[in-house]
Amino acid sequence: MRGRKLFGSASRRLKLTLASSMAAALCAGAVAAAPAQAQVANPYAKGPNPTEASVTATTGPFAVTTSNISSLVSGFGGGRLYYPTATNQGTYGAIALSPGFTAGWSSIDWLGPRLASFGFVVIGIETNSRYDYPPSRGQQLLAALDWAVEDSPAASRIDPTRLAVGGHSMGGGGSLEAASDRPSLKAVLPLAPWNSDKSWNEVQVPTMIIGGESDTIASVGSHSTPFYNSLSGEKAFLELNNASHFFPQSPNNLVAKMAISWAKRWVDNDTRYSQFLCPGPSGGLFSEVQAYQQTCPF
């Protein structure tokens, strides 16, 4: 009797040991498999991991090709095209940008090669008339995107599902018009935007507004702030300390950093750039930042 009990006890211990070993092996396998399932590569992410130094550098990781756009194109007044030279990076998102009232593309043309060098096709437009108001500029931005996708030298490199708009002053107001008319856009970048329409609650496209504290033409109180407050989608608003209406007309590392990061996050779905948006730049003594708001996390 005693021998059978001992044998039975040993048998149970052996079964328990085997069961525990199998469970541990299964758990180990599940743990080993989990990272492979969780880490889904982003096909749109391009370039090395970003750093503060890289996003404020005057050029990004990609060489850029530049060409003129004829004034004979349909829907807008021509301009300048910038796109990465590399052909082994898959397709790129495209961003159309408009200058402000009475201004030409040359007034903000530093933005073209800077954005393109981070992996975007950029269409810097000339408007049909330098006196066009925001609704017209919005339509011209969309026409520029359509031309870029269908007929531009970079057409084969553009992903038509990843398009964005932006601009300065009435061009910035026009970018809001474009987002209202085409909700499939991925991002909007209004700089010191001006528009007589103050409410954009129909716009759900992720929008980053950058305004100047000392802007007397499109004051943040009567333009950028009500625009931002009315937007329905993901959004951010950077107010630059003591900046005038014309801050976009000079190269600015902070403006570039925020515009690049916003485009990367929403056009390329690249969350590596969220670190520059959330919580974002902070103000302080001698800071370039007057205020920053956002709807993080992105």
Side-chain angles (χ1 to χ4, degrees):
M1 277 300 275
R2 188 168 178 270
R4 284 197 297 272
K5 286 182 180 177
L6 287 173
F7 178 80
S9 177
S11 176
R12 283 194 298 274
R13 283 198 299 272
L14 178 60
K15 289 178 181 178
L16 287 171
T17 300
L18 288 172
S20 297
S21 298
M22 290 176 66
L26 288 170
C27 288
V31 170
Q37 294 171 351
Q39 293 173 1
V40 178
N42 176 7
Y44 309 132
K46 294 176 174 63
N49 289 333
T51 64
E52 181 70 22
S54 72
V55 294
T56 55
T58 54
T59 58
F62 298 102
V64 173
T65 297
T66 305
S67 63
N68 288 325
I69 305 171
S70 169
S71 60
L72 299 178
V73 293
S74 176
F76 64 109
R80 195 86 166 148
L81 180 70
Y82 310 82
Y83 55 96
T85 303
T87 57
N88 62 348
Q89 297 291 315
T91 55
Y92 300 97
I95 307 170
L97 300 172
S98 168
F101 192 65
T102 77
W105 168 244
S106 63
S107 65
I108 57 170
D109 62 358
W110 68 275
L111 283 164
R114 193 125 172 196
L115 284 167
S117 70
F118 279 85
F120 299 102
V121 175
V122 180
I123 311 98
I125 74 168
E126 300 288 0
T127 49
N128 291 325
S129 163
R130 293 197 173 192
Y131 302 97
D132 289 332
Y133 271 65
S136 175
R137 290 171 191 263
Q139 289 302 306
Q140 291 177 61
L141 285 168
L142 296 179
L145 288 175
D146 293 340
W147 169 83
V149 167
E150 296 166 7
D151 299 315
S152 78
S156 63
R157 306 184 192 189
I158 297 173
D159 181 344
T161 68
R162 296 188 294 117
L163 306 177
V165 290
H168 174 218
S169 191
M170 286 196 185
S175 69
L176 291 169
E177 300 274 357
S180 176
D181 291 340
R182 190 175 294 183
S184 62
L185 293 173
K186 297 301 184 185
V188 191
L189 291 165
L191 307 175
W194 188 101
N195 200 307
S196 59
D197 186 345
K198 310 303 179 185
S199 179
W200 299 96
N201 47 13
E202 78 278 13
V203 173
Q204 297 186 25
V205 182
T207 301
M208 167 169 280
I209 296 173
I210 305 180
E213 178 196 17
S214 300
D215 189 335
T216 58
I217 296 173
S219 69
V220 294
S222 60
H223 290 79
S224 293
T225 296
F227 296 167
Y228 174 80
N229 289 338
S230 68
L231 293 165
S232 297
E234 301 286 11
K235 56 187 178 179
F237 172 35
L238 172 63
E239 183 179 350
L240 299 176
N241 184 36
N242 202 34
S244 78
H245 184 66
F246 301 102
F247 73 82
Q249 296 185 351
S250 300
N252 181 295
N253 288 341
L254 177 57
V255 171
K257 166 187 170 180
M258 301 306 285
I260 290 164
S261 298
W262 196 257
K264 280 291 194 179
R265 173 60 189 88
W266 298 111
V267 178
D268 284 358
N269 195 31
D270 194 338
T271 55
R272 295 179 300 169
Y273 286 80
S274 295
Q275 62 182 299
F276 308 112
L277 304 169
C278 300
S282 57
L285 191 62
F286 306 121
S287 172
E288 198 175 354
V289 178
Q290 174 65 23
Y292 180 66
Q293 304 174 65
Q294 30 68 18
T295 54
C296 290
F298 297 139

